[in-house]
Each structure stands twice: as structure tokens, then as C-alpha cells.
Amino acid sequence: MSPNRTLILTFSSLILLGLASCGGRVSQCNSLISTLNEAQPFRVEYEQNMSAALSQISGAQDLAQTQDAAKQYITTVETVTDNTSDLVQDLASLDIVDEQLLEYRSRYTTLITHQTAALETAQNSMIILATVESEVAFAQDFDQFQQRTNGAYSV
């Protein structure tokens, strides 16, 4: 399963989990769900942009096209990193005292923080492709790019 699809499924699962277990602390649960739902638009945009970048990379015919696609990927990751950071801050600012909701928030925050770190590692790897100066250098650097990218998602 792709990292993009995993991120989406994780977002959706946690929202549903929160809905199913609100119990007595309805206002706290509603605040948590509302904050998580605010992530939906950027998640959809991220998925579309990432899909476009990866499609562009796989269809690149020359170094310039590969570099353009790599730059699109880098920009997409920068946007999702910023949005995820904002979401983590919004979640942290919620006034939640219910133990179960605190646990959900903590797990979710940990999960998206780890996903963001993996994306940043992949992004840093993509910089290799975006800045390579020649096709010869590309061939030499591709293994390093691939190892770093694979390592980003192996944890």
C-alpha cells in the first residue's frame, strides 16, 4: 500500500474511531472530530498533487522533466508538512480531559508526526533528483536517492 493511501486510511480510521467512542464527553469529542475534519481539504489536495507528481516522475522522458516533477513533489511535501504541523498544534490546543480522547489524540499526533518525518526524508531524497546537474550525475546519484526514499518508509 502506498504511503499516500496509508495516510488517507489512517486519517479516516481515526475520525471514525473518534465518532464511535464519544460517550460522556461529547463536547470534547466534537472538538476533536471538528479539528480532524478540518484536515480533509488539505488531505484531498495533497493526494491529488502527490499523484500528479509521481505520475509526472514516472513519465519523465528527460532530465528536465524529471527535475520539474521532483520539484513538484518537494513543493507538495512542503505544503503537507506545514498543514500537518498546523493540525498537530490545533490538536494540542484542544481542551481535552477525557482519558480515552487524550489517548486517541496522542496516538493520532504520533502517527501523523511519523508520517510527516517519512515524507520529509523522501523529500530530502527528491532534492537529489531536483538538483542533479547532468544525466551522468543523475545515473550516479539515483541509487542514493532510491536508498534514502526506501529508507523513509521502511520503519
Side-chain angles (χ1 to χ4, degrees):
M1 184 175 295
S2 75
N4 303 337
R5 186 54 100 190
T6 302
L7 187 61
I8 290 167
L9 291 174
T10 301
F11 277 131
S12 301
S13 297
L14 287 170
I15 289 170
L16 290 174
L17 182 60
L19 281 171
S21 60
C22 281
R25 307 282 181 163
V26 175
S27 66
Q28 292 176 48
C29 187
N30 287 338
S31 295
L32 181 59
I33 291 168
S34 176
T35 301
L36 292 173
N37 283 337
E38 290 173 10
Q40 294 298 323
F42 89 71
R43 199 186 91 228
V44 170
E45 179 184 348
Y46 160 76
E47 183 179 67
Q48 292 170 345
N49 291 343
M50 187 60 72
S51 178
L54 294 174
S55 178
Q56 189 177 0
I57 287 171
S58 67
Q61 300 294 316
D62 58 28
L63 183 59
Q65 289 178 355
T66 301
Q67 289 175 315
D68 288 344
K71 289 173 186 170
Q72 182 181 353
Y73 180 95
I74 291 165
T75 300
T76 298
V77 172
E78 286 172 352
T79 300
V80 79
T81 300
D82 291 344
N83 289 332
T84 301
S85 177
D86 292 344
L87 177 59
V88 167
Q89 289 176 0
D90 291 346
L91 288 169
S93 72
L94 294 176
D95 186 23
I96 297 176
V97 294
D98 181 82
E99 298 264 341
Q100 189 174 20
L101 294 176
L102 284 169
E103 181 64 23
Y104 291 152
R105 178 179 68 183
S106 176
R107 286 183 183 178
Y108 185 75
T109 300
T110 299
L111 179 73
I112 63 174
T113 300
H114 288 144
Q115 278 287 348
T116 301
L119 283 171
E120 288 174 328
T121 299
Q123 175 192 31
N124 289 334
S125 299
M126 193 63 73
I127 291 171
I128 295 169
L129 297 185
T131 58
V132 71
E133 295 185 14
S134 69
E135 289 184 15
V136 171
F138 175 87
Q140 292 170 345
D141 292 343
F142 187 77
D143 285 339
Q144 180 184 10
F145 156 76
Q146 197 168 28
Q147 288 173 356
R148 286 185 184 180
T149 302
N150 290 340
Y153 299 105
S154 65
V155 177

